[in-house]
Amino acid sequence: MASFDSPSAPPPPLADTGVPAGVSGAILVVDDHDLLRLGVSALVQAQAATSGARIAVFEAGNIADALALYAAHEVAIGLVLLDLALPDTHGLSGLAEFRLRFPAARVVVLSGTANSTLAQGALALGASAFLPKSADLKEMVGFIRACGLFEADGTPPQPLPPAALPKSLSGYAEFAHASAWQELTPRQMQVLQWVLEGKANKEIAQLANLSEGTVKNHVSTILLLFGMRSRAQLISMLR
């Protein structure tokens, strides 16, 4: 968690939520790149200071640590900034696991690429927004401000207004196959991502440490859920 005082000052007392007393809320930044976590933390705290608010920033470099931190500070954390490319996740599996454990969590997904397939799946799985990492960090701050976390009076987080969604992605929440994304298991999402990358069942079996028969069953289930007759049709539709 980021420090709010100089090293020589005594640590502020902790509230029941586990954050320093007087802090209006907390954000969890989940990314395996130290510089991105540091950049988000610094920008968030700088923006919060201009409005007199104090925000704690928790940091995690993988989904396992993120889930543990959220479980310990669920009451205080008003927003989760979640990178999809973590060491212990693949595709949307991290988001799926987070939503399964904490369905009420407010999650903004970060991705290294503006991939429409991932955006569709992330929003269908309940992410509040999808932001490419190529976007300005100030856009992330915009989401945080929209959530009301910069309010110095401790006002509870507000619902994220639809207008805050990137215009190019806002329509994906109504994606025709949203129900299919919601029914996929984390393993099936992983297999789907490999299928979209053009990998054959044999390659997927080796990567996932599964039998080819098991992979074939996963692919068949995915095709059925999306109403597709072939891998080629599925790839054409989702890319």
Side-chain angles (χ1 to χ4, degrees), residues 49-79:
T50 64
S51 60
R54 302 179 72 202
I55 296 180
V57 179
F58 295 96
E59 300 179 18
N62 56 60
I63 197 66
D65 289 347
L67 291 169
L69 276 170
Y70 193 88
H73 306 285
E74 183 174 359
V75 175
I77 296 174
L79 186 68

PDB file of all heavy atoms in Angstrom, residues 49-79:
ATOM      1  N   ALA A  49      -5.430  14.780  -4.036  1.00  0.00           N
ATOM      2  CA  ALA A  49      -4.971  15.884  -3.183  1.00  0.00           C
ATOM      3  C   ALA A  49      -5.581  17.207  -3.595  1.00  0.00           C
ATOM      4  O   ALA A  49      -5.837  18.078  -2.751  1.00  0.00           O
ATOM      5  CB  ALA A  49      -3.447  15.964  -3.233  1.00  0.00           C
ATOM      6  N   THR A  50      -5.855  17.379  -4.888  1.00  0.00           N
ATOM      7  CA  THR A  50      -6.426  18.649  -5.354  1.00  0.00           C
ATOM      8  C   THR A  50      -7.842  18.866  -4.840  1.00  0.00           C
ATOM      9  O   THR A  50      -8.313  19.993  -4.775  1.00  0.00           O
ATOM     10  CB  THR A  50      -6.437  18.702  -6.895  1.00  0.00           C
ATOM     11  OG1 THR A  50      -7.299  17.666  -7.405  1.00  0.00           O
ATOM     12  CG2 THR A  50      -5.039  18.525  -7.459  1.00  0.00           C
ATOM     13  N   SER A  51      -8.529  17.777  -4.490  1.00  0.00           N
ATOM     14  CA  SER A  51      -9.898  17.901  -3.964  1.00  0.00           C
ATOM     15  C   SER A  51      -9.947  17.678  -2.458  1.00  0.00           C
ATOM     16  O   SER A  51     -11.019  17.630  -1.867  1.00  0.00           O
ATOM     17  CB  SER A  51     -10.821  16.903  -4.665  1.00  0.00           C
ATOM     18  OG  SER A  51     -10.383  15.574  -4.466  1.00  0.00           O
ATOM     19  N   GLY A  52      -8.784  17.525  -1.838  1.00  0.00           N
ATOM     20  CA  GLY A  52      -8.749  17.346  -0.391  1.00  0.00           C
ATOM     21  C   GLY A  52      -9.029  15.933   0.056  1.00  0.00           C
ATOM     22  O   GLY A  52      -9.154  15.662   1.251  1.00  0.00           O
ATOM     23  N   ALA A  53      -9.139  15.007  -0.888  1.00  0.00           N
ATOM     24  CA  ALA A  53      -9.409  13.607  -0.528  1.00  0.00           C
ATOM     25  C   ALA A  53      -8.097  12.870  -0.291  1.00  0.00           C
ATOM     26  O   ALA A  53      -7.034  13.313  -0.703  1.00  0.00           O
ATOM     27  CB  ALA A  53     -10.201  12.925  -1.644  1.00  0.00           C
ATOM     28  N   ARG A  54      -8.185  11.742   0.392  1.00  0.00           N
ATOM     29  CA  ARG A  54      -7.018  10.891   0.612  1.00  0.00           C
ATOM     30  C   ARG A  54      -7.415   9.468   0.224  1.00  0.00           C
ATOM     31  O   ARG A  54      -8.376   8.929   0.745  1.00  0.00           O
ATOM     32  CB  ARG A  54      -6.566  10.945   2.070  1.00  0.00           C
ATOM     33  CG  ARG A  54      -6.219  12.346   2.553  1.00  0.00           C
ATOM     34  CD  ARG A  54      -5.809  12.327   4.016  1.00  0.00           C
ATOM     35  NE  ARG A  54      -4.492  11.718   4.191  1.00  0.00           N
ATOM     36  CZ  ARG A  54      -4.071  11.196   5.350  1.00  0.00           C
ATOM     37  NH1 ARG A  54      -4.882  11.161   6.396  1.00  0.00           N
ATOM     38  NH2 ARG A  54      -2.865  10.691   5.449  1.00  0.00           N
ATOM     39  N   ILE A  55      -6.687   8.916  -0.712  1.00  0.00           N
ATOM     40  CA  ILE A  55      -7.025   7.596  -1.241  1.00  0.00           C
ATOM     41  C   ILE A  55      -5.861   6.633  -1.016  1.00  0.00           C
ATOM     42  O   ILE A  55      -4.719   6.942  -1.347  1.00  0.00           O
ATOM     43  CB  ILE A  55      -7.357   7.668  -2.744  1.00  0.00           C
ATOM     44  CG1 ILE A  55      -8.616   8.513  -2.960  1.00  0.00           C
ATOM     45  CG2 ILE A  55      -7.551   6.275  -3.327  1.00  0.00           C
ATOM     46  CD1 ILE A  55      -9.021   8.635  -4.408  1.00  0.00           C
ATOM     47  N   ALA A  56      -6.161   5.503  -0.448  1.00  0.00           N
ATOM     48  CA  ALA A  56      -5.155   4.459  -0.290  1.00  0.00           C
ATOM     49  C   ALA A  56      -5.068   3.672  -1.591  1.00  0.00           C
ATOM     50  O   ALA A  56      -6.082   3.444  -2.255  1.00  0.00           O
ATOM     51  CB  ALA A  56      -5.532   3.528   0.856  1.00  0.00           C
ATOM     52  N   VAL A  57      -3.872   3.276  -1.970  1.00  0.00           N
ATOM     53  CA  VAL A  57      -3.680   2.495  -3.194  1.00  0.00           C
ATOM     54  C   VAL A  57      -3.023   1.165  -2.833  1.00  0.00           C
ATOM     55  O   VAL A  57      -1.880   1.128  -2.383  1.00  0.00           O
ATOM     56  CB  VAL A  57      -2.823   3.253  -4.223  1.00  0.00           C
ATOM     57  CG1 VAL A  57      -2.636   2.395  -5.473  1.00  0.00           C
ATOM     58  CG2 VAL A  57      -3.467   4.584  -4.581  1.00  0.00           C
ATOM     59  N   PHE A  58      -3.757   0.076  -3.007  1.00  0.00           N
ATOM     60  CA  PHE A  58      -3.211  -1.260  -2.817  1.00  0.00           C
ATOM     61  C   PHE A  58      -2.663  -1.744  -4.150  1.00  0.00           C
ATOM     62  O   PHE A  58      -3.223  -1.426  -5.207  1.00  0.00           O
ATOM     63  CB  PHE A  58      -4.285  -2.226  -2.315  1.00  0.00           C
ATOM     64  CG  PHE A  58      -4.823  -1.899  -0.949  1.00  0.00           C
ATOM     65  CD1 PHE A  58      -5.988  -1.164  -0.803  1.00  0.00           C
ATOM     66  CD2 PHE A  58      -4.147  -2.318   0.189  1.00  0.00           C
ATOM     67  CE1 PHE A  58      -6.482  -0.859   0.454  1.00  0.00           C
ATOM     68  CE2 PHE A  58      -4.636  -2.018   1.451  1.00  0.00           C
ATOM     69  CZ  PHE A  58      -5.799  -1.290   1.590  1.00  0.00           C
ATOM     70  N   GLU A  59      -1.606  -2.524  -4.116  1.00  0.00           N
ATOM     71  CA  GLU A  59      -0.981  -3.003  -5.340  1.00  0.00           C
ATOM     72  C   GLU A  59      -0.794  -4.517  -5.300  1.00  0.00           C
ATOM     73  O   GLU A  59      -0.456  -5.080  -4.256  1.00  0.00           O
ATOM     74  CB  GLU A  59       0.377  -2.334  -5.549  1.00  0.00           C
ATOM     75  CG  GLU A  59       0.310  -0.830  -5.665  1.00  0.00           C
ATOM     76  CD  GLU A  59       1.689  -0.213  -5.859  1.00  0.00           C
ATOM     77  OE1 GLU A  59       2.631  -0.949  -6.248  1.00  0.00           O
ATOM     78  OE2 GLU A  59       1.830   0.986  -5.615  1.00  0.00           O
ATOM     79  N   ALA A  60      -1.021  -5.150  -6.449  1.00  0.00           N
ATOM     80  CA  ALA A  60      -0.786  -6.595  -6.578  1.00  0.00           C
ATOM     81  C   ALA A  60      -0.216  -6.872  -7.955  1.00  0.00           C
ATOM     82  O   ALA A  60      -0.578  -6.211  -8.935  1.00  0.00           O
ATOM     83  CB  ALA A  60      -2.088  -7.366  -6.376  1.00  0.00           C
ATOM     84  N   GLY A  61       0.671  -7.863  -8.036  1.00  0.00           N
ATOM     85  CA  GLY A  61       1.297  -8.206  -9.304  1.00  0.00           C
ATOM     86  C   GLY A  61       0.747  -9.464  -9.939  1.00  0.00           C
ATOM     87  O   GLY A  61       1.171  -9.857 -11.019  1.00  0.00           O
ATOM     88  N   ASN A  62      -0.214 -10.118  -9.277  1.00  0.00           N
ATOM     89  CA  ASN A  62      -0.841 -11.309  -9.843  1.00  0.00           C
ATOM     90  C   ASN A  62      -2.243 -11.449  -9.274  1.00  0.00           C
ATOM     91  O   ASN A  62      -2.613 -10.773  -8.318  1.00  0.00           O
ATOM     92  CB  ASN A  62       0.000 -12.561  -9.571  1.00  0.00           C
ATOM     93  CG  ASN A  62       0.257 -12.762  -8.082  1.00  0.00           C
ATOM     94  OD1 ASN A  62      -0.677 -12.912  -7.286  1.00  0.00           O
ATOM     95  ND2 ASN A  62       1.525 -12.762  -7.677  1.00  0.00           N
ATOM     96  N   ILE A  63      -3.033 -12.336  -9.855  1.00  0.00           N
ATOM     97  CA  ILE A  63      -4.436 -12.449  -9.465  1.00  0.00           C
ATOM     98  C   ILE A  63      -4.587 -13.048  -8.071  1.00  0.00           C
ATOM     99  O   ILE A  63      -5.505 -12.677  -7.319  1.00  0.00           O
ATOM    100  CB  ILE A  63      -5.241 -13.270 -10.502  1.00  0.00           C
ATOM    101  CG1 ILE A  63      -6.756 -13.023 -10.322  1.00  0.00           C
ATOM    102  CG2 ILE A  63      -4.919 -14.728 -10.419  1.00  0.00           C
ATOM    103  CD1 ILE A  63      -7.188 -11.621 -10.637  1.00  0.00           C
ATOM    104  N   ALA A  64      -3.687 -13.938  -7.690  1.00  0.00           N
ATOM    105  CA  ALA A  64      -3.776 -14.555  -6.361  1.00  0.00           C
ATOM    106  C   ALA A  64      -3.623 -13.504  -5.262  1.00  0.00           C
ATOM    107  O   ALA A  64      -4.410 -13.461  -4.309  1.00  0.00           O
ATOM    108  CB  ALA A  64      -2.715 -15.644  -6.212  1.00  0.00           C
ATOM    109  N   ASP A  65      -2.613 -12.636  -5.392  1.00  0.00           N
ATOM    110  CA  ASP A  65      -2.412 -11.577  -4.399  1.00  0.00           C
ATOM    111  C   ASP A  65      -3.563 -10.577  -4.429  1.00  0.00           C
ATOM    112  O   ASP A  65      -3.974 -10.061  -3.397  1.00  0.00           O
ATOM    113  CB  ASP A  65      -1.091 -10.850  -4.663  1.00  0.00           C
ATOM    114  CG  ASP A  65       0.123 -11.705  -4.344  1.00  0.00           C
ATOM    115  OD1 ASP A  65      -0.046 -12.762  -3.696  1.00  0.00           O
ATOM    116  OD2 ASP A  65       1.239 -11.324  -4.745  1.00  0.00           O
ATOM    117  N   ALA A  66      -4.075 -10.312  -5.631  1.00  0.00           N
ATOM    118  CA  ALA A  66      -5.179  -9.364  -5.763  1.00  0.00           C
ATOM    119  C   ALA A  66      -6.425  -9.855  -5.030  1.00  0.00           C
ATOM    120  O   ALA A  66      -7.094  -9.092  -4.320  1.00  0.00           O
ATOM    121  CB  ALA A  66      -5.501  -9.136  -7.236  1.00  0.00           C
ATOM    122  N   LEU A  67      -6.735 -11.121  -5.188  1.00  0.00           N
ATOM    123  CA  LEU A  67      -7.901 -11.695  -4.526  1.00  0.00           C
ATOM    124  C   LEU A  67      -7.741 -11.659  -3.009  1.00  0.00           C
ATOM    125  O   LEU A  67      -8.691 -11.374  -2.277  1.00  0.00           O
ATOM    126  CB  LEU A  67      -8.122 -13.129  -5.002  1.00  0.00           C
ATOM    127  CG  LEU A  67      -8.579 -13.287  -6.459  1.00  0.00           C
ATOM    128  CD1 LEU A  67      -8.509 -14.743  -6.895  1.00  0.00           C
ATOM    129  CD2 LEU A  67      -9.994 -12.744  -6.648  1.00  0.00           C
ATOM    130  N   ALA A  68      -6.526 -11.923  -2.537  1.00  0.00           N
ATOM    131  CA  ALA A  68      -6.265 -11.893  -1.097  1.00  0.00           C
ATOM    132  C   ALA A  68      -6.400 -10.473  -0.548  1.00  0.00           C
ATOM    133  O   ALA A  68      -6.984 -10.260   0.524  1.00  0.00           O
ATOM    134  CB  ALA A  68      -4.870 -12.443  -0.809  1.00  0.00           C
ATOM    135  N   LEU A  69      -5.857  -9.494  -1.271  1.00  0.00           N
ATOM    136  CA  LEU A  69      -5.955  -8.101  -0.830  1.00  0.00           C
ATOM    137  C   LEU A  69      -7.405  -7.627  -0.823  1.00  0.00           C
ATOM    138  O   LEU A  69      -7.846  -6.949   0.106  1.00  0.00           O
ATOM    139  CB  LEU A  69      -5.118  -7.199  -1.745  1.00  0.00           C
ATOM    140  CG  LEU A  69      -3.631  -7.077  -1.428  1.00  0.00           C
ATOM    141  CD1 LEU A  69      -2.900  -6.357  -2.552  1.00  0.00           C
ATOM    142  CD2 LEU A  69      -3.437  -6.332  -0.111  1.00  0.00           C
ATOM    143  N   TYR A  70      -8.140  -7.979  -1.862  1.00  0.00           N
ATOM    144  CA  TYR A  70      -9.539  -7.547  -1.926  1.00  0.00           C
ATOM    145  C   TYR A  70     -10.355  -8.182  -0.809  1.00  0.00           C
ATOM    146  O   TYR A  70     -11.206  -7.542  -0.200  1.00  0.00           O
ATOM    147  CB  TYR A  70     -10.156  -7.885  -3.282  1.00  0.00           C
ATOM    148  CG  TYR A  70     -11.475  -7.178  -3.512  1.00  0.00           C
ATOM    149  CD1 TYR A  70     -11.507  -5.903  -4.071  1.00  0.00           C
ATOM    150  CD2 TYR A  70     -12.684  -7.767  -3.146  1.00  0.00           C
ATOM    151  CE1 TYR A  70     -12.707  -5.233  -4.255  1.00  0.00           C
ATOM    152  CE2 TYR A  70     -13.882  -7.108  -3.331  1.00  0.00           C
ATOM    153  CZ  TYR A  70     -13.894  -5.838  -3.880  1.00  0.00           C
ATOM    154  OH  TYR A  70     -15.083  -5.171  -4.052  1.00  0.00           O
ATOM    155  N   ALA A  71     -10.084  -9.441  -0.531  1.00  0.00           N
ATOM    156  CA  ALA A  71     -10.807 -10.118   0.551  1.00  0.00           C
ATOM    157  C   ALA A  71     -10.545  -9.440   1.893  1.00  0.00           C
ATOM    158  O   ALA A  71     -11.440  -9.333   2.732  1.00  0.00           O
ATOM    159  CB  ALA A  71     -10.383 -11.589   0.618  1.00  0.00           C
ATOM    160  N   ALA A  72      -9.314  -8.953   2.097  1.00  0.00           N
ATOM    161  CA  ALA A  72      -8.954  -8.324   3.370  1.00  0.00           C
ATOM    162  C   ALA A  72      -9.468  -6.895   3.496  1.00  0.00           C
ATOM    163  O   ALA A  72      -9.689  -6.404   4.608  1.00  0.00           O
ATOM    164  CB  ALA A  72      -7.431  -8.329   3.533  1.00  0.00           C
ATOM    165  N   HIS A  73      -9.686  -6.219   2.348  1.00  0.00           N
ATOM    166  CA  HIS A  73     -10.059  -4.800   2.391  1.00  0.00           C
ATOM    167  C   HIS A  73     -11.280  -4.504   1.527  1.00  0.00           C
ATOM    168  O   HIS A  73     -11.426  -3.398   1.003  1.00  0.00           O
ATOM    169  CB  HIS A  73      -8.879  -3.943   1.925  1.00  0.00           C
ATOM    170  CG  HIS A  73      -7.606  -4.206   2.668  1.00  0.00           C
ATOM    171  ND1 HIS A  73      -7.389  -3.762   3.959  1.00  0.00           N
ATOM    172  CD2 HIS A  73      -6.484  -4.892   2.317  1.00  0.00           C
ATOM    173  CE1 HIS A  73      -6.186  -4.142   4.361  1.00  0.00           C
ATOM    174  NE2 HIS A  73      -5.620  -4.844   3.393  1.00  0.00           N
ATOM    175  N   GLU A  74     -12.163  -5.469   1.393  1.00  0.00           N
ATOM    176  CA  GLU A  74     -13.316  -5.341   0.499  1.00  0.00           C
ATOM    177  C   GLU A  74     -14.164  -4.109   0.809  1.00  0.00           C
ATOM    178  O   GLU A  74     -14.655  -3.427  -0.096  1.00  0.00           O
ATOM    179  CB  GLU A  74     -14.179  -6.604   0.581  1.00  0.00           C
ATOM    180  CG  GLU A  74     -15.367  -6.604  -0.357  1.00  0.00           C
ATOM    181  CD  GLU A  74     -16.098  -7.932  -0.347  1.00  0.00           C
ATOM    182  OE1 GLU A  74     -15.656  -8.862   0.378  1.00  0.00           O
ATOM    183  OE2 GLU A  74     -17.122  -8.047  -1.050  1.00  0.00           O
ATOM    184  N   VAL A  75     -14.348  -3.806   2.093  1.00  0.00           N
ATOM    185  CA  VAL A  75     -15.199  -2.678   2.478  1.00  0.00           C
ATOM    186  C   VAL A  75     -14.608  -1.351   1.999  1.00  0.00           C
ATOM    187  O   VAL A  75     -15.336  -0.438   1.613  1.00  0.00           O
ATOM    188  CB  VAL A  75     -15.388  -2.642   4.010  1.00  0.00           C
ATOM    189  CG1 VAL A  75     -16.166  -1.412   4.430  1.00  0.00           C
ATOM    190  CG2 VAL A  75     -16.108  -3.901   4.479  1.00  0.00           C
ATOM    191  N   ALA A  76     -13.286  -1.247   2.001  1.00  0.00           N
ATOM    192  CA  ALA A  76     -12.634   0.017   1.667  1.00  0.00           C
ATOM    193  C   ALA A  76     -12.411   0.213   0.168  1.00  0.00           C
ATOM    194  O   ALA A  76     -12.451   1.334  -0.328  1.00  0.00           O
ATOM    195  CB  ALA A  76     -11.285   0.113   2.389  1.00  0.00           C
ATOM    196  N   ILE A  77     -12.179  -0.873  -0.562  1.00  0.00           N
ATOM    197  CA  ILE A  77     -11.813  -0.752  -1.975  1.00  0.00           C
ATOM    198  C   ILE A  77     -13.038  -0.434  -2.828  1.00  0.00           C
ATOM    199  O   ILE A  77     -13.969  -1.225  -2.922  1.00  0.00           O
ATOM    200  CB  ILE A  77     -11.131  -2.043  -2.470  1.00  0.00           C
ATOM    201  CG1 ILE A  77      -9.810  -2.258  -1.725  1.00  0.00           C
ATOM    202  CG2 ILE A  77     -10.871  -1.968  -3.978  1.00  0.00           C
ATOM    203  CD1 ILE A  77      -9.126  -3.581  -2.035  1.00  0.00           C
ATOM    204  N   GLY A  78     -12.984   0.734  -3.459  1.00  0.00           N
ATOM    205  CA  GLY A  78     -14.113   1.163  -4.290  1.00  0.00           C
ATOM    206  C   GLY A  78     -13.930   0.862  -5.760  1.00  0.00           C
ATOM    207  O   GLY A  78     -14.879   0.957  -6.538  1.00  0.00           O
ATOM    208  N   LEU A  79     -12.711   0.515  -6.165  1.00  0.00           N
ATOM    209  CA  LEU A  79     -12.453   0.262  -7.582  1.00  0.00           C
ATOM    210  C   LEU A  79     -11.224  -0.624  -7.729  1.00  0.00           C
ATOM    211  O   LEU A  79     -10.244  -0.477  -7.006  1.00  0.00           O
ATOM    212  CB  LEU A  79     -12.221   1.577  -8.329  1.00  0.00           C
ATOM    213  CG  LEU A  79     -12.073   1.484  -9.855  1.00  0.00           C
ATOM    214  CD1 LEU A  79     -13.390   1.070 -10.496  1.00  0.00           C
ATOM    215  CD2 LEU A  79     -11.610   2.816 -10.433  1.00  0.00           C
TER     216      LEU A  79
END
